[in-house]
Amino acid sequence: MIIAPDQTVDAILRLLGPLDPPEELHKVPGPYLYDQVTAKDRTEIPELLAEARKTEGPILVLAAGSGRITGPLLALDRPLTAVESSLDELTRFDVEKRFGCVVLGASSITLLDPSDRRGLFRKVRECLTPDGRFLMTVANADSHLASENNDGGTFVSALGDDSCLITKESRDTVNGARHVTMIHVSFNEGGTYRSSEYAHDVAFVSRGLLEEETSAEGLNIIERRPVHIATPTPGLNDVELWVCGK
């Protein structure tokens, strides 16, 4: 009998030894770990820059992380405000200022539950200038949900010479979500290794639902178009840029 290799996260954890309960992936230091993996990924940046150039006035970047998107936008030489990437910060940003362009990249909208998405759309509308634009990248859930493969696979990424990131994804098509677990392993820690585990459920929000939610909060979808995937990623091959206004 040939037994298939066990590639589940449980098997990986057994090899690494006991770990503390996983931390929330999108709390510190989770976002910075994500930024390390995507630091050289140019996906969505050309599209966001092209649309931002068409706007005027200050720019607001939501879920800024360590600056993968914010850095290129600084080249536009306009006043720029960056909101950190924790979910609390993402849904509680200041709406007293007015911005000609608000940017939410990395399909971060899928990290929020329905009430938080509605609240974010409401705040974006309130802080946009009359001719301002809200630029949002969205993973196309409609194509993901059509897939019969419920296992996103296990992937290993090198982070420098002495650490790696093990990523495991599983799909829950019934509830429209994918569960992401990341295990960061650092070697040469006093002759041994150190590991940290992070987990998060990422929603596959249908385009129809996002259309309803943005419209209900006073945002109009002006344009939607595909985003070029610069760094091929398993399970992520259909991302759109949504351009919205009041």
Side-chain angles (χ1 to χ4, degrees), residues 64-103:
S66 61
R68 185 179 72 90
I69 294 173
T70 306
L73 288 171
L74 286 171
L76 300 182
D77 197 24
R78 287 160 54 182
L80 187 147
T81 300
V83 173
E84 257 299 349
S85 52
S86 72
L87 297 187
D88 289 341
E89 292 292 333
L90 183 56
T91 55
R92 297 178 185 175
F93 62 89
D94 184 8
V95 295
E96 294 181 0
K97 298 180 181 179
R98 294 294 178 266
F99 299 90
C101 181
V102 178
V103 178

Side-chain angles (χ1 to χ4, degrees), residues 164-185:
C164 69
L165 185 67
I166 303 170
T167 303
K168 168 70 179 180
E169 292 193 14
S170 58
R171 310 274 176 85
D172 180 1
T173 55
V174 174
N175 295 308
R178 61 190 174 106
H179 183 74
V180 181
T181 299
M182 288 184 172
I183 304 168
H184 183 209
V185 184

Side-chain angles (χ1 to χ4, degrees), residues 25 27-38 65-67 84-85:
L25 176 59
K27 292 183 178 179
V28 177
Y32 297 99
L33 186 61
Y34 169 81
D35 286 337
Q36 282 184 272
V37 178
T38 61
S66 61
E84 257 299 349
S85 52

Side-chain angles (χ1 to χ4, degrees), residues 65-229:
S66 61
R68 185 179 72 90
I69 294 173
T70 306
L73 288 171
L74 286 171
L76 300 182
D77 197 24
R78 287 160 54 182
L80 187 147
T81 300
V83 173
E84 257 299 349
S85 52
S86 72
L87 297 187
D88 289 341
E89 292 292 333
L90 183 56
T91 55
R92 297 178 185 175
F93 62 89
D94 184 8
V95 295
E96 294 181 0
K97 298 180 181 179
R98 294 294 178 266
F99 299 90
C101 181
V102 178
V103 178
L104 179 61
S107 297
S108 298
I109 195 63
T110 59
L111 305 179
L112 303 177
D113 62 29
S115 62
D116 283 340
R117 288 198 304 270
R118 294 280 292 265
L120 182 140
F121 293 146
R122 188 180 314 120
K123 288 185 177 183
V124 167
R125 176 183 54 78
E126 292 172 356
C127 75
L128 276 179
T129 59
D131 295 327
R133 293 291 180 263
F134 174 41
L135 311 180
M136 173 176 64
T137 55
V138 176
N140 187 352
D142 301 308
S143 64
H144 287 291
L145 292 176
S147 172
E148 296 180 356
N149 180 16
N150 292 331
D151 185 1
T154 301
F155 316 101
V156 179
S157 306
L159 299 179
D161 295 330
D162 58 0
S163 78
C164 69
L165 185 67
I166 303 170
T167 303
K168 168 70 179 180
E169 292 193 14
S170 58
R171 310 274 176 85
D172 180 1
T173 55
V174 174
N175 295 308
R178 61 190 174 106
H179 183 74
V180 181
T181 299
M182 288 184 172
I183 304 168
H184 183 209
V185 184
S186 299
F187 305 99
N188 298 325
E189 294 279 349
T192 181
Y193 62 83
R194 182 188 302 274
S195 59
S196 302
E197 182 186 4
Y198 308 89
H200 193 81
D201 287 320
V202 182
F204 283 144
V205 187
S206 72
R207 287 184 296 183
L209 180 58
L210 281 180
E211 289 172 359
E212 292 177 9
E213 292 176 347
T214 53
S215 177
E217 300 304 332
L219 290 171
N220 300 311
I221 301 169
I222 298 171
E223 183 182 0
R224 284 194 314 231
R225 64 173 181 271
V227 166
H228 172 65
I229 306 297

